Amino acid sequence: MLNRFAADYLESLGTADFAPTPKVSGRLASFDGLLMEAVGLNLSVGTVCQVGAANGAKVEAEVIGFRNGRTLLMNLGGPAALLPQSSVRPIGAPGAAEVGSALLGRVVDGAGKPIDGLGPIRGAKHWPLAGKLQGPLDRGRVLQPMDVGVRAINGLLTIGQGQRVGIMAGSGVGKSVLLGMIVRAAQADVVVIGLIGERSREVADFLETKVAGEARARSVVVAVPANHSPVLRIRGALRATAIAEGFRAEGKKVLLIMDSLTRVAHAGREIGLALGEPASARGYPPSAIAMLPNLIERAGTDVKSGGSITAIYTVLADGDDGNDPVVDSARSILDGHIVLSRQLAERGVYPAIDLGPSVSRVMTDIAQPDHIAAARVLRRHLATYEENRDLVLMGAYRGGADPEIDAAIACHPAVMEFIRQDADSIVPMDDAVAELIGVFGDHGQ
């Protein structure tokens, strides 16, 4: 009996499709606090490796390039007591993001690990982090408006399903508050939020105040605070976009919010400079700016599935400079931009939307003619008032000298009232359009 079992067991071993693979391992040759160089490895870019540290500790690093026969890696974790000649072993191929309904209501980090204390994510599908390349004709036109619950945006800068929009402002002007208003009110099936490079306190505050209640159940949050590795910050942006693409492939209307695109560019700058790229405008290497179109172009409408990704990116204008390289590059790629004004914020106008430089490039395709006409009348009155504001405030203008200025002065309180909105209030699209046409529809025609 025993002999027969042994014979059967040995025979099964002989016929098994067994192909042993060697363990690949290299050695750490250099580390300058940010960039690691390893020898003895032949790995593709994006591979995650485990690096040995003092006292048996391990840290994870990602392959980001090659130089002079050495493999360049960047730390994915915190500070580590690395030693010369530490072992470097690959533990994962270039990653895929977990996507699907299993992620709804969850909060993950840049590596896709849940950080909300609700246990592991089960039953998720997978999608390439870098996305799936689409042809231009696979993208549908933007033809349907999206209600975001903000009166000034719904009425004057109407956003369409599948549009990519930037919210551009300096620090402390109200970008995050405006995002919170949009998250609560947006008419979307799924909301994917990427909090990239922000303060850790802001992440907790955003979850508790802006993604609470019903909004949490249809949201997925990818949070990578500012003190995390630049590689993780870029991975967080890629992961948030991949999750949105996974829902779009199911035919859903997705709202992708990323706060902020500038922090992603900063992470790209850190990596590019560490790799020895020459710094160009404002210290940004070419790769950091070239990365933005690859990220932004992944949003939009999919002809095959019928789903859409409406993307809203915040763009930090360093020093309130509208010609900052990231701001300028994003403005040229996006389908519209909403500029927030520090001067309006200082006057107590919130949201502090500066209508002059703000534009929605698809509004003429998705709004009715009377809506567009009323929006143009409001804009004309506001522009006339701002041009002559100093004259009016100094008392140098006499009423009746110019009918257009008189009309602009008379309409200015109504214009400001239309722009203003409390952070906790929601104004549906129909109400905003009806109010706009009711007040400005028959002016200046």
Side-chain angles (χ1 to χ4, degrees):
M1 182 73 179
L2 184 61
N3 290 337
R4 189 173 65 191
F5 170 77
D8 292 343
Y9 177 68
L10 291 173
E11 185 179 353
S12 68
L13 284 180
T15 58
D17 187 13
F18 177 66
T21 56
K23 282 190 174 181
V24 179
S25 178
R27 293 288 171 184
L28 189 65
S30 172
F31 177 54
D32 61 4
L34 183 67
L35 197 67
M36 305 178 192
E37 297 186 13
V39 295
L41 288 172
N42 185 18
L43 303 172
S44 59
V45 171
T47 304
V48 178
C49 298
Q50 194 175 66
V51 185
N55 303 321
K58 304 285 185 182
V59 297
E60 290 187 356
E62 181 179 321
V63 177
I64 61 170
F66 315 97
R67 182 190 296 145
N68 300 328
R70 293 186 173 189
T71 301
L72 307 179
L73 305 98
M74 191 164 279
N75 192 356
L76 288 176
L82 297 177
L83 297 172
Q85 302 302 312
S86 297
S87 65
V88 181
R89 299 178 184 275
I91 59 172
E98 292 183 317
V99 301
S101 58
L103 276 80
L104 291 175
R106 302 303 301 270
V107 184
V108 300
D109 63 8
K113 299 173 183 175
I115 56 175
D116 51 9
L118 300 178
I121 297 170
R122 303 185 188 280
K125 303 171 187 176
H126 290 86
W127 192 274
L129 268 180
K132 298 178 181 179
L133 189 62
Q134 287 185 307
L137 298 182
D138 293 331
R139 294 294 174 83
R141 293 182 61 203
V142 179
L143 298 173
Q144 297 294 324
M146 172 172 277
D147 188 350
V148 296
V150 180
R151 186 194 294 112
I153 297 177
N154 282 342
L156 304 170
L157 300 164
T158 311
I159 293 176
Q161 295 174 19
Q163 186 178 358
R164 291 86 49 87
V165 183
I167 298 178
M168 302 173 176
S171 56
V173 184
K175 295 188 299 297
S176 296
V177 175
L178 181 57
L179 284 184
M181 296 169 69
I182 294 172
V183 168
R184 282 194 298 271
Q187 299 298 308
D189 299 325
V190 179
V191 180
V192 181
I193 303 165
L195 301 176
I196 312 299
E198 294 300 315
R199 296 179 288 275
S200 297
R201 179 197 63 77
E202 277 199 350
V203 173
D205 180 70
F206 200 95
L207 293 176
E208 292 295 328
T209 62
K210 301 175 178 65
V211 199
E214 295 180 3
R216 185 70 175 269
R218 61 179 179 134
S219 301
V220 183
V221 180
V222 181
V224 191
N227 60 339
H228 285 217
S229 159
V231 177
L232 267 185
R233 277 177 265 153
I234 290 179
R235 276 194 165 227
L238 296 175
R239 187 171 299 277
T241 308
I243 292 170
E245 286 176 321
F247 284 113
R248 179 179 64 184
E250 298 176 4
K252 294 185 176 178
K253 291 192 303 181
V254 184
L255 175 64
L256 170 64
I257 288 179
M258 193 168 295
D259 187 14
S260 73
L261 194 66
T262 306
R263 306 297 185 193
V264 178
H266 287 177
R269 178 170 63 184
E270 291 181 47
I271 295 174
L273 294 178
L275 286 171
E277 283 190 59
S280 52
R282 299 286 180 90
Y284 288 97
S287 64
I289 302 299
M291 175 179 58
L292 300 181
N294 295 332
L295 188 65
I296 294 171
E297 276 296 311
R298 292 169 61 180
T301 304
D302 187 359
V303 172
K304 295 178 181 177
S305 69
S308 65
I309 299 176
T310 306
I312 299 178
Y313 304 92
T314 64
V315 185
L316 177 65
D318 290 330
D320 292 341
D321 183 7
N323 295 319
D324 180 84
V326 177
V327 176
D328 199 41
S329 178
R331 189 191 296 119
S332 66
I333 305 163
L334 294 166
D335 302 321
H337 46 274
I338 300 168
V339 179
L340 302 187
S341 163
R342 192 175 298 278
Q343 287 74 22
L344 284 175
E346 289 170 352
R347 293 182 212 160
V349 178
Y350 287 99
I353 297 174
D354 189 353
L355 292 176
S358 301
V359 66
S360 172
R361 297 180 183 176
V362 303
M363 183 173 173
T364 53
D365 296 329
I366 59 178
Q368 298 300 316
D370 53 348
H371 175 190
I372 296 171
R376 285 175 178 166
V377 169
L378 186 149
R379 281 175 170 272
R380 187 168 70 243
H381 286 325
L382 181 60
T384 302
Y385 183 87
E386 292 296 333
E387 287 172 4
N388 299 279
R389 176 183 174 82
D390 292 339
L391 290 176
V392 174
L393 293 179
M394 289 188 301
Y397 174 74
R398 291 181 305 171
D402 188 324
E404 287 194 9
I405 298 178
D406 292 340
I409 294 173
C411 291
H412 191 68
V415 171
M416 289 293 102
E417 192 61 32
F418 191 84
I419 296 174
R420 280 194 185 95
Q421 185 175 334
D422 292 336
D424 56 355
S425 67
I426 295 174
V427 180
M429 171 80 73
D430 293 341
D431 293 355
V433 173
E435 183 178 343
L436 178 66
I437 295 174
V439 177
F440 297 98
D442 53 358
H443 284 267
Q445 297 298 320

